[in-house]
């Protein structure tokens, strides 16, 4: 396998390695405890003693310990991977526990990295776990990724995915990719060798900011990241042990509602995007700007939740407040006096005249959960000659800054 190796003193070099840089014969031993612990692997001819030693000698970096990272970390530890690194700067929240199964209620409010390490060591006390309680950036990516054989991309945003991809290409590291959205997930292997596709072959350009709602806004079936994370961990184990056929060159698409698995061929684009340095990925994805900056770029007027509260307190009747979330979200919490008109009905044109009537002779204010969907609604309405004001931060900001009695979700 031809892989590029990063040398901080010399730049990019080329070398011949066995998968993930491990030698065919691994000079590590297994204790009596490990022999019993991994006995079901040892009896598999495809894995056996040498395969289990390769797992123990391997080092895997997981970027993110959330929905995808949770099952992946659990099963890599259980499989006997000897060295695991975790990059995450977040803390455990109650809303995480529906899918981030490595964490528990007792860890709410504490760093995810600490929670994950504690659980890993319960499963496999022989595992070395290194923690990086920081965001992966272009300034630290090489330093963090370099010591590891394989990188697992368990992130949930485009800037991080491009960063992980480009760093892995420059360092010659295989990247195990997974992503989820609502009821659908994807998994593949990038950069396994010089002929392998990478993330830029799958997503050549980042989508416009706000086009793809995050799992916070769009929701996600709790079991879905479990499915995708397990697929990612299977790919890691196969690469380390040198068995089976990986997903390199194939994109696996999982539909959890229909419970179907589709496979699409993924080939390097021609000509290939040249990756010769790390860039400003927030700027590249146009998602680093805060919401007011995005609103300004779209030519939208905005209002803070505090100023909206002042208007409501005045009891003015010359404005209309529209909620463009889905009905199930409105059942959780809403701003009193608002009219529910879901975004999809505005974008389809079905509710345009209804909004026009509401806004007739009145000032229109629009909100959603965080402010992204309401901005999209206002952009659509603007094309129909209907002007309005976006509520920055949406009902989440309202619950945090105005009405603490409202549940956050």
């Amino acid at each position: 396998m031809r892989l590029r190796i990063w040398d901080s003193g010399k730049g990019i070099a080329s070398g011949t390695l066995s998968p993930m840089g491990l030698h065919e014969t691994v000079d590590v031993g297994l204790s009596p405890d490990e022999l019993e612990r991994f006995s079901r692997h040892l009896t598999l001819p495809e894995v056996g003693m040498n395969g289990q030693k390769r797992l123990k000698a391997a080092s895997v970096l997981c970027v993110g310990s959330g929905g995808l990272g949770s099952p992946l970390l659990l099963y890599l530890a259980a499989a006997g991977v000897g060295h695991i690194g975790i990059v995450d700067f977040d803390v455990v929240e109650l809303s995480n526990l529906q899918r981030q199964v490595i964490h528990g209620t007792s860890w709410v409010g504490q760093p995810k990295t600490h929670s994950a390490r504690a659980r890993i060591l319960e499963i496999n006390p022989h595992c070395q776990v290194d923690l990086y309680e920081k965001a992966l950036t272009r300034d630290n990516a090489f330093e963090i990724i370099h010591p590891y054989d394989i990188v697992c991309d368990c992130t949930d945003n485009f800037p991080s995915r491009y960063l992980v991809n480009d760093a892995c290409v420059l360092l010659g590291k295989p990247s195990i990719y997974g992503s989820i959205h609502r009821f659908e997930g994807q998994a593949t292997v990038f950069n396994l060798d010089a002929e392998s596709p990478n993330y830029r072959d799958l997503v050549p350009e980042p989508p416009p900011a706000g086009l793809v709602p995050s799992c916070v806004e769009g929701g996600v079936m709790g079991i879905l990241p479990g499915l995708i994370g397990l697929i990612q961990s299977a790919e890691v184990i196969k690469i380390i042990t040198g068995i089976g056929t990986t997903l390199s060159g194939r994109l696996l698409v999982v539909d959890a509602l229909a419970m179907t698995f589709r496979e699409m061929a993924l080939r390097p684009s021609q000509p290939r995007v040249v990756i010769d340095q790390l860039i400003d990925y927030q700027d590249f994805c146009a998602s680093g700007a805060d919401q007011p900056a995005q609103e300004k770029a779209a030519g939208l007027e905005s209002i803070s939740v505090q100023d909206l509260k002042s208007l409501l307190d005045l009891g003015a009747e010359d404005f209309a407040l529209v909620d463009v979330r889905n009905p199930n979200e409105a059942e959780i919490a809403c701003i009193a006096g608002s009219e529910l008109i879901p975004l999809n009905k505005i974008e389809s044109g079905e509710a345009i005249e209804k909004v026009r009537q509401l806004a007739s002779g009145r000032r229109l204010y629009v909100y959603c959960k965080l402010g992204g969907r309401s901005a999209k609604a206002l952009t659509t309405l603007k094309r129909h000659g209907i002007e309005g004001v976006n509520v920055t931060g949406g009902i989440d900001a309202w619950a945090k800054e105005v009405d603490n009695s409202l549940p956050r979700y």
Side-chain angles (χ1 to χ4, degrees):
M1 177 182 294
R2 300 289 296 179
L3 292 179
R4 286 158 291 187
I5 310 167
W6 179 261
D7 183 317
S8 58
K10 299 180 181 178
I12 297 177
S14 193
T16 302
L17 301 176
S18 58
M20 3 75 55
L22 293 180
H23 300 293
E24 289 299 327
T25 301
V26 181
D27 187 21
V28 297
L30 298 177
S31 68
D33 176 272
E34 289 172 299
L35 290 173
E36 181 178 356
R37 184 181 295 270
F38 305 120
S39 61
R40 299 304 187 270
H41 269 176
L42 299 176
T43 54
L44 285 173
E46 294 83 356
V47 179
M49 184 67 76
N50 190 56
Q52 194 61 48
K53 287 181 177 181
R54 289 171 66 84
L55 287 166
K56 183 176 181 177
S59 57
V60 179
L61 180 70
C62 184
V63 185
S65 58
L68 293 170
S70 288
L72 183 143
L73 288 167
L74 289 171
Y75 276 90
L76 291 185
V81 172
H83 183 191
I84 293 175
I86 307 171
V87 184
D88 203 316
F89 60 92
D90 207 355
V91 299
V92 180
E93 299 179 358
L94 272 175
S95 61
N96 300 151
L97 304 183
Q98 165 250 16
R99 64 203 175 281
Q100 300 182 18
V101 294
I102 201 168
H103 311 298
T105 303
S106 63
W107 285 94
V108 169
Q110 300 185 58
K112 287 184 178 179
T113 52
H114 293 197
S115 171
R117 178 173 59 184
R119 186 73 182 104
I120 287 171
L121 293 178
E122 285 185 8
I123 295 170
N124 180 8
H126 304 282
C127 184
Q128 174 186 334
V129 185
D130 295 336
L131 306 183
Y132 304 89
E133 293 180 58
K134 61 185 75 174
L136 191 74
T137 69
R138 64 174 175 171
D139 295 323
N140 63 25
F142 287 146
E143 178 184 359
I144 291 175
I145 292 174
H146 180 260
Y148 295 90
D149 301 315
I150 297 177
V151 178
C152 296
D153 181 356
C154 297
T155 61
D156 62 359
N157 61 85
F158 289 100
S160 296
R161 289 169 184 160
Y162 281 105
L163 170 59
V164 170
N165 176 79
D166 291 3
C168 285
V169 169
L170 291 170
L171 291 170
K173 308 287 185 181
S175 173
I176 316 302
Y177 166 77
S179 70
I180 53 172
H181 176 61
R182 292 175 56 79
F183 300 99
E184 186 173 282
Q186 300 178 347
T188 190
V189 174
F190 291 131
N191 204 45
L192 186 61
D193 56 40
E195 284 70 47
S196 294
N198 64 63
Y199 183 66
R200 289 178 179 268
D201 297 311
L202 176 63
V203 187
E205 296 181 354
L211 180 64
V212 181
S214 68
C215 116
V216 174
E217 282 200 296
V220 62
M221 185 181 186
I223 196 68
L224 180 63
L227 285 170
I228 301 301
L230 290 179
I231 291 169
Q232 288 179 276
S233 62
E235 295 302 295
V236 172
I237 292 169
K238 289 190 297 182
I239 293 171
I240 293 172
T241 57
I243 63 175
T245 303
T246 74
L247 283 173
S248 179
R250 299 180 293 148
L251 180 71
L252 185 65
V253 181
V254 179
D255 182 338
L257 275 184
M259 200 48 72
T260 58
F261 291 73
R262 295 184 290 125
E263 182 182 302
M264 295 187 290
L266 182 60
R267 299 287 181 262
S269 57
Q270 299 297 332
R272 301 206 72 173
V273 175
V274 175
I275 301 172
D276 54 11
Q277 63 178 338
L278 301 183
I279 62 175
D280 185 335
Y281 294 93
Q282 296 288 349
D283 182 66
F284 175 64
C285 295
S287 60
D290 57 18
Q291 189 186 329
Q294 293 179 22
E295 292 165 343
K296 183 177 180 181
L300 299 177
E301 187 179 347
S302 63
I303 187 172
S304 69
V305 290
Q306 293 92 343
D307 289 343
L308 178 64
K309 173 68 162 52
S310 298
L311 284 176
L312 292 173
D313 287 344
L314 289 173
E317 297 182 357
D318 59 347
F319 74 90
L321 180 61
V322 170
D323 177 358
V324 297
R325 296 173 300 153
N326 296 323
N328 59 302
E329 294 178 88
E331 290 177 2
I332 299 172
C334 65
I335 300 176
S338 61
E339 178 89 13
L340 178 65
I341 305 178
L343 173 62
N344 63 344
K345 292 188 176 182
I346 292 174
E347 291 185 319
S348 69
E350 178 184 346
I352 294 297
E353 291 309 312
K354 182 176 181 179
V355 177
R356 194 187 305 278
Q357 292 174 11
L358 281 172
S360 179
R362 294 189 286 181
R363 188 72 159 148
L364 176 66
Y365 296 90
V366 181
Y367 77 93
C368 62
K369 180 177 181 179
L370 299 174
R373 283 175 286 173
S374 51
K376 290 177 68 177
L378 285 166
T379 300
T380 300
L381 291 170
K382 196 173 184 178
R383 291 198 294 266
H384 292 271
I386 304 172
E387 297 287 342
V389 180
N390 197 29
V391 179
T392 299
I395 196 167
D396 190 63
W398 183 272
K400 283 192 296 185
E401 302 173 30
V402 176
D403 186 357
N404 301 132
S405 69
L406 287 181
R408 296 178 62 198
Y409 63 98

